[in-house]
Amino acid sequence: AQSVTQLDSHVSVSEGTPVLLRCNYSSSYSPSLFWYVQHPNKGLQLLLKYTSAATLVKGINGFEAEFKKSETSFHLTKPSAHMSDAAEYFCVVSVSSNTGKLIFGQGTTLQVKP
Amino acid sequence: ETGVTQTPRHLVMGMTNKKSLKCEQHLGHNAMYWYKQSAKKPLELMFVYNFKEQTENNSVPSRFSPECPNSSHLFLHLHTLQPEDSALYLCASSPGQGSGYTFGSGTRLTVV
């Protein structure tokens, strides 16, 4: 069965410092993995996705994530946080089925301090 | 705009009312989903439709009734809701396996 665990429910960084949001997954096959962002009172927006091509995936707004099979991790990083990055972030793994069903992590709230 | 449009954006309804949420996508996607997002809780998958057919119902109470008349439209009919049903209801669509979802902006529902 597939599952995903976001290791931190809340991360706080100062503006201009690096961001690291941690995600571990469990999958019985080679998964597709995603990061989504949700700003307050908004829907979810796709940041980036991994689908068995390059293990380092670049997304929008300067975010990137690295797929590490040996560690079953897919951590999200950004070199320098911006105030507008403050939001909820979800790590997501696909389920092997024709419906394309996704399983969402619990979410990590990113706070960016001036 | 993401390509998935949800209406209304906000809805306040009494427990005896009947209302419907609408979701529309013209991305050519074959699968559509309803999710419930409550405060301090993870996203809850409610229903999955694939090529207009319901393929998953996650033990959702019958006061929530989905309808998918075609691959572009998805409705969620609501009746005799409870205050604990107040939440953000998100619609999403996808082309299929291994693809990400495209989400709508959601309907913020308040049951009074």
Side-chain angles (χ1 to χ4, degrees), chain B residues 82-97:
Chain B
Q82 305 298 312
E84 60 265 30
D85 296 323
S86 298
L88 181 67
Y89 288 85
L90 292 164
C91 173
S93 69
S94 80
Q97 182 180 353

Side-chain angles (χ1 to χ4, degrees), chain A residues 34 36 38 97 99 101-102, chain B residues 33 37 56 97 100-101 108:
Chain A
F34 311 82
Y36 281 83
Q38 185 179 30
S97 74
T99 65
K101 179 181 170 184
L102 301 181
Chain B
Y33 312 81
Q37 187 177 35
E56 191 156 342
Q97 182 180 353
Y101 292 177
R108 173 68 63 184

Side-chain angles (χ1 to χ4, degrees), chain B:
Chain B
E1 277 302 324
T2 64
V4 178
T5 303
Q6 288 188 246
T7 55
R9 292 295 305 273
H10 301 272
L11 178 63
V12 179
M13 59 185 288
M15 290 190 284
T16 58
N17 290 161
K18 289 185 180 181
K19 296 286 185 183
S20 295
L21 310 185
K22 180 182 176 182
C23 176
E24 183 174 354
Q25 60 92 6
H26 296 286
L27 301 170
H29 290 171
N30 301 317
M32 296 187 77
Y33 312 81
W34 279 117
Y35 277 86
K36 176 183 178 183
Q37 187 177 35
S38 305
K40 309 298 183 186
K41 292 175 70 175
L43 269 76
E44 300 173 56
L45 177 64
M46 300 175 73
F47 301 104
V48 179
Y49 277 82
N50 209 25
F51 292 99
K52 301 189 302 178
E53 299 298 319
Q54 187 181 124
T55 53
E56 191 156 342
N57 175 338
N58 262 7
S59 303
V60 180
S62 59
R63 57 185 184 270
F64 295 91
S65 174
E67 178 190 2
C68 190
N70 55 61
S71 292
S72 298
H73 294 85
L74 184 64
F75 295 90
L76 188 62
H77 303 301
L78 316 170
H79 65 97
T80 59
L81 295 191
Q82 305 298 312
E84 60 265 30
D85 296 323
S86 298
L88 181 67
Y89 288 85
L90 292 164
C91 173
S93 69
S94 80
Q97 182 180 353
S99 303
Y101 292 177
T102 301
F103 279 89
S105 297
T107 295
R108 173 68 63 184
L109 174 67
T110 303
V111 181
V112 298

